[in-house]
Amino acid sequence: MIYDFILFSVFASLSVISATMVISLSNAVHSVLFLIFLFCNMSSLLLLLGAEFLSLLFLIVYVGAIAVLFLFVVMMLNINIELSSSKNYLKVLPIGFLLSIILALQILISIDVNFIGSKNIINSPEWILWLIESFSSSNVEALGFVLYTKYSLLFLLCGLVLLVSMLGVIVLTIHQKTKLKKQNITIQVYRVPRKTIKFSSLN
């Protein structure tokens, strides 16, 4: 119990620090790297709370796809990484404060309606003992069984779509160099020896 609480406190603290660094750094690449670190910490928190499917979904979708895509886009566009230091950030501070208040109110309203006033919750949330849960079937096993049996064709089609999109991105982003000297085998085979050999007198 004490180890779970310590791990939860560590991952929660790292999540807050990472989220602060994402919005405070002026380097876009560093912000994306801290965003990936934030997603990893959130995945660890979900794993401690027993939502193993959502934890793996965070790693696969957000870290493996979206965050890496952001990193590739930032590095591929070759934008000015360092923002101008003379920019006045006080102009956008009221908008950020207003959005923060709206987000906090939405969170408080959703907690009040769905959790505090709900009568379906009998017991308080408890920590998951993973040594005990490892001997029983988990949500990932149940979803994997359904995914690879009933929806296997759709799963293969999604993989095919992702493969085509990956190849399309590679073709669009590759830089073709036109000034390279290339070897043309056809011209070499059909050449005329009389035109290619030239005799010159050294006298």
Side-chain angles (χ1 to χ4, degrees):
M1 180 67 181
I2 185 66
Y3 298 107
D4 294 335
F5 180 73
I6 292 174
L7 288 176
F8 187 86
S9 302
V10 169
F11 288 132
S13 302
L14 291 176
S15 300
V16 174
I17 294 173
S18 302
T20 306
M21 297 299 289
V22 169
I23 62 176
S24 61
L25 290 176
S26 59
N27 194 319
V29 177
H30 293 170
S31 297
V32 175
L33 292 177
F34 273 103
L35 182 65
I36 296 174
F37 187 58
L38 172 63
F39 287 150
C40 292
N41 290 322
M42 294 302 297
S43 176
S44 302
L45 288 176
L46 290 173
L47 186 62
L48 286 176
L49 294 176
E52 65 273 7
F53 177 71
L54 292 178
S55 175
L56 296 176
L57 199 65
F58 255 72
L59 287 178
I60 295 172
V61 176
Y62 287 99
V63 179
I66 297 178
V68 176
L69 177 63
F70 288 165
L71 184 62
F72 279 145
V73 167
V74 168
M75 297 178 67
M76 185 180 64
L77 292 179
N78 196 15
I79 61 175
N80 188 11
I81 297 177
E82 295 293 336
L83 298 177
S84 177
S85 59
S86 62
K87 186 177 180 179
N88 190 8
Y89 292 99
L90 295 177
K91 294 180 180 180
V92 296
L93 187 61
I95 300 176
F97 184 71
L98 179 62
L99 293 177
S100 301
I101 293 177
I102 294 174
L103 180 62
L105 289 176
Q106 289 179 351
I107 293 174
L108 291 176
I109 291 173
S110 63
I111 291 176
D112 186 35
V113 172
N114 296 326
F115 292 98
I116 298 177
S118 179
K119 298 181 180 179
N120 296 325
I121 300 177
I122 300 175
N123 299 322
S124 60
E126 297 180 356
W127 298 101
I128 302 298
L129 299 176
W130 290 103
L131 292 176
I132 300 176
E133 291 290 332
S134 61
F135 295 101
S136 60
S137 61
S138 61
N139 296 329
V140 179
E141 292 178 357
L143 288 172
F145 180 77
V146 175
L147 186 64
Y148 286 104
T149 55
K150 186 176 181 180
Y151 298 101
S152 60
L153 180 60
L154 295 177
F155 185 73
L156 293 175
L157 289 177
C158 291
L160 181 62
V161 170
L162 291 176
L163 177 62
V164 172
S165 62
M166 182 183 67
L167 294 177
V169 169
I170 293 174
V171 171
L172 290 175
T173 56
I174 193 171
H175 298 285
Q176 298 289 342
K177 295 181 180 180
T178 57
K179 296 182 179 180
L180 294 177
K181 293 182 179 180
K182 297 181 180 180
Q183 184 180 10
N184 195 338
I185 305 297
T186 306
I187 296 177
Q188 293 179 358
V189 171
Y190 288 100
R191 67 178 181 173
V192 180
R194 295 178 182 178
K195 295 182 181 180
T196 56
I197 300 175
K198 182 179 180 181
F199 295 96
S200 60
S201 180
L202 299 177
N203 295 328

